[in-house]
Amino acid sequence: MAAASRSGLSGWLYRVSDSDIWWSFKSSPMTVAAAVATFLIIAVAFLSPVLAPHTPFDPATLSLSDGLKPPVLVSPDGDWAFPLGTDDQGRDVLSSIMYGTRLSLIVSLAAVAVAMVLGISLGLISGYFGGAIDAVIMRVADVQLTFPAILVALLIDGVVRGLISVKRHDEIAIFVVVGAIGLSFWVSYARTVRGSVMVEKNKEYVQAARVIGLPPLLIMVRHVLPNVTGPVLVIATLNLGLAIITEATLSFLGVGLPSTEPSLGTLIRLGNEVLQSGDWWITVFPGVTLAALVLAVNLLGDWLRDALNPKLR
């Protein structure tokens, strides 16, 4: 059993190392660098409770006497206990970035998952059944495409704020932001899956599944869905960068996550309030982290789009 398992694993590794996608990946230094940067940022973010030198959002650990310390590499007044400096509350900027990046990634990954589930489901239904169902879903998608995603997210967040109290909104803010971003991005999945399903549903293997009496749901999930995952994976990778930017924008505008659970966007907003005082590090370092993360993810998405396109192989 163990030998068979090792053989199966080694065979899988051989197929991966011998594939066109792996060759494309290792032959592109920029893609490799983007993958390494993405992995490092994600690993450090999710290990922040272990790696962070301080717990920046625990009031019991903060001291106002440590406030507004500059980075150690740009000023002799810096303190190596706070290598990137501190904010006006004495919070370590490096630890804040690590925790904030983790929260931004959690929100963005969850939002992309919501958009994928909703978009793929509606795309499968629209493309497989067609008719009035297809017309209704696609017209709703067309209407939503006339508005930028950030405006849709702002609208959804505003509706929720109008229905519940401010205190209750702050308690469920992370779920509101995830839902708002997810509902902003489902259209691209739905339209892509619909187009692929309309091609696949007329092929012989789908017709054979219908002849033997398989229900439509089973045909869509077992037979049609696996053949449309390539484009969906590309869209998900690109949308992850957009979701990170959208979440940061919402938080920067003050309608995203509260200050008690700051993401990168919230950190940038808080730093921007004291930027004119010369305390630039409070907003610059979170901004650089956000830009580096989004750039790395977008480079991976661009590579994946080209790697999965058979016309470019």
Side-chain angles (χ1 to χ4, degrees):
M1 181 70 69
S5 176
R6 287 194 298 270
S7 176
L9 178 60
S10 61
W12 179 81
L13 291 175
Y14 174 78
R15 288 193 297 272
V16 170
S17 62
D18 195 47
S19 64
D20 293 339
I21 293 179
W22 176 251
W23 180 88
S24 173
F25 174 79
K26 67 180 183 180
S27 62
S28 174
M30 184 176 295
T31 302
V32 174
V36 171
T38 303
F39 173 79
L40 288 177
I41 293 174
I42 292 176
V44 170
F46 281 97
L47 292 175
S48 55
V50 178
L51 299 178
H54 303 275
T55 305
F57 308 121
D58 182 4
T61 65
L62 302 181
S63 174
L64 292 177
S65 61
D66 294 325
L68 299 179
K69 288 185 178 294
V72 293
L73 296 181
V74 299
S75 173
D77 297 329
D79 187 344
W80 279 105
F82 310 102
L84 297 185
T86 61
D87 63 7
D88 56 343
Q89 300 296 318
R91 290 179 293 204
D92 178 38
V93 172
L94 175 60
S95 300
S96 299
I97 290 174
M98 294 169 69
Y99 277 87
T101 303
R102 183 180 67 161
L103 192 55
S104 292
L105 285 170
I106 290 174
V107 170
S108 302
L109 289 170
V112 170
V114 170
M116 285 181 62
V117 171
L118 180 61
I120 291 173
S121 301
L122 293 177
L124 285 171
I125 295 172
S126 178
Y128 189 84
F129 292 105
I133 296 177
D134 177 40
V136 171
I137 294 176
M138 287 300 102
R139 295 300 76 75
V140 172
D142 291 339
V143 171
Q144 183 163 331
L145 283 176
T146 61
F147 301 95
I150 186 65
L151 291 184
V152 176
L154 285 170
L155 174 62
I156 295 172
D157 182 80
V159 170
V160 174
R161 286 176 180 270
L163 296 176
I164 61 178
S165 64
V166 176
K167 180 179 179 181
R168 179 58 178 164
H169 180 274
D170 289 343
E171 293 174 351
I172 63 172
I174 186 170
F175 301 103
V176 175
V177 174
V178 167
I181 298 176
L183 291 174
S184 303
F185 288 157
W186 68 270
V187 175
S188 56
Y189 297 97
R191 292 173 69 90
T192 301
V193 171
R194 171 184 176 269
S196 300
V197 170
M198 293 181 69
V199 174
E200 296 293 328
K201 72 176 183 179
N202 295 318
K203 293 185 177 179
E204 289 79 3
Y205 71 94
V206 177
Q207 299 295 337
R210 288 174 176 168
V211 169
I212 63 177
L214 292 181
L217 179 61
L218 188 59
I219 294 175
M220 287 188 291
V221 174
R222 178 182 295 180
H223 299 283
V224 179
L225 181 58
N227 291 293
V228 301
T229 53
V232 168
L233 183 61
V234 174
I235 295 174
T237 306
L238 294 173
N239 271 0
L240 178 60
L242 291 175
I244 295 172
I245 287 293
T246 303
E247 183 279 323
T249 304
L250 291 174
S251 297
F252 183 82
L253 295 174
V255 295
L257 300 180
S259 299
T260 54
E261 297 180 355
S263 64
L264 289 176
T266 307
L267 293 175
I268 295 172
R269 174 173 60 84
L270 295 175
N272 190 61
E273 296 174 355
V274 297
L275 184 61
Q276 300 299 325
S277 302
D279 306 318
W280 54 268
W281 59 89
I282 303 176
T283 189
V284 167
F285 288 129
V288 170
T289 303
L290 176 65
L293 176 59
V294 173
L295 177 60
V297 171
N298 285 342
L299 287 174
L300 282 179
D302 291 339
W303 163 78
L304 191 62
R305 178 187 57 198
D306 296 339
L308 295 179
N309 188 347
K311 296 180 180 179
L312 299 178
R313 293 182 184 174

